[in-house]
Amino acid sequence: MSLGETSMMRLGGSFTIMMMVSGAPSAGAVADAVRPVAEPLGLRAHVDPISGGLHQHVVPNVRVRVSGADRAGIVAQVTGALAEAGFNILDLASDVAGTSGSPSTSCTSRYSDAPLERLQAAVAPLAGEGVDVQVSAIDTLYG
């Protein structure tokens, strides 16, 4: 088997790993290979067969950073304003931190065909609601 794309992240108190592998005769063979490692560690494995190939990824070109006092709907409010301005989310990571008396939410996401100025204008009104949204370009040069 050959390892392809992977994604690993912490979600609450759990750690999640997603992997694409190739060269296995079946999904069952992948599950059989993972089981002896996963079970002794108390890990659960879920295997889905997919058809993959060489991916042509969209290169992230905009970073959006959001912070504010945690409340219901903060991420939806920001992503809705950005979507109306032409923003496409490639990935989104959010976290709630702070203290129980003063929780805060932060999230990061990225990609847009829309001009940076349009995205910045779309989220500017949120500052009046206690939400700090920073929209900036990502250097897309590869060396």
Side-chain angles (χ1 to χ4, degrees), residues 9-114:
M9 66 185 327
R10 176 190 51 82
L11 295 171
S14 298
F15 185 70
T16 301
I17 302 172
M18 292 184 349
M19 298 182 287
M20 291 178 68
V21 297
S22 61
S26 68
V30 174
D32 290 343
V34 170
R35 190 174 298 111
V37 176
E39 286 180 354
L41 296 172
L43 302 175
R44 290 177 284 167
H46 176 84
V47 179
D48 285 323
I50 61 170
S51 60
L54 187 59
H55 293 249
Q56 299 298 317
H57 294 285
V58 174
V59 177
N61 64 349
V62 174
R63 175 175 289 118
V64 177
R65 291 187 177 160
V66 178
S67 60
D70 187 45
R71 62 175 167 76
I74 190 172
V75 174
Q77 187 177 18
V78 173
T79 56
L82 290 168
E84 287 180 26
F87 188 76
N88 251 334
I89 296 174
L90 287 181
D91 56 48
L92 185 139
S94 65
D95 193 17
V96 177
T99 65
S100 59
S102 180
S104 65
T105 295
S106 64
C107 69
T108 302
S109 54
R110 53 194 187 207
Y111 184 71
S112 180
D113 286 328

